[in-house]
Amino acid sequence: HVQLVESGGASLQAGGSLRLSCAISGYSYNNICMGWFRQHPGKEREAVATLYTYGGRTYYTDSVKGRFTISQGAGEDLVILQMNGLKPEDTAMYYCAAGFLLPGPCLEGRWHFPAGVWGQGTQVTVS
């Protein structure tokens, strides 16, 4: 079965950059939706960026467009979230997820928690 492990969370100052990594195991499909979500205290988990592995198309929520980039690692068992120009409002627990979604829901912001397989999360704090 699919397992996900996130790493890379940290505390840093506004304007800085951070790279989150998600190691994937137990996955052998080339048409899966991968995503990074975040959850602010007391709020729902929201999709930040998603990627459909077949074709590599991506989706970003409006608040991170131009600042965050989701990509697959060279070995395709790693999903990266590069975060630049970080702001205090980016402070949250960040989760990696894998979903057996069609491209439409994956790339149109229609993937919602708890559908899919989830990692344990990694904390990002921006001050």
Side-chain angles (χ1 to χ4, degrees):
H1 62 284
V2 180
Q3 289 187 307
L4 309 171
V5 178
E6 304 98 333
S7 62
S11 296
L12 70 167
Q13 293 188 337
S17 297
L18 203 58
R19 184 176 184 262
L20 303 184
S21 297
C22 175
I24 309 160
S25 61
Y27 152 66
S28 59
Y29 299 97
N30 66 354
N31 56 344
I32 192 172
C33 187
M34 297 300 304
W36 283 96
F37 288 66
R38 66 186 179 189
Q39 189 165 18
H40 298 96
K43 296 191 176 181
E44 293 186 355
R45 198 170 298 189
E46 62 171 351
V48 174
T50 59
L51 178 149
Y52 197 72
T53 58
Y54 186 80
R57 288 179 293 165
T58 58
Y59 158 86
Y60 298 93
T61 194
D62 286 345
S63 62
V64 307
K65 285 180 180 177
R67 300 189 297 125
F68 291 12
T69 303
I70 186 172
S71 62
Q72 280 186 279
E76 297 187 350
D77 57 355
L78 202 64
V79 176
I80 306 297
L81 184 68
Q82 178 66 42
M83 305 187 292
N84 299 326
L86 282 161
K87 304 175 181 180
E89 51 263 44
D90 295 319
T91 295
M93 184 70 78
Y94 283 72
Y95 298 88
C96 177
F100 296 94
L101 278 69
L102 294 173
C106 176
L107 300 170
E108 296 170 4
R110 292 189 281 128
W111 178 11
H112 302 287
F113 178 77
V117 180
W118 296 82
Q120 293 300 304
T122 186
Q123 178 68 37
V124 173
T125 302
V126 185
S127 59

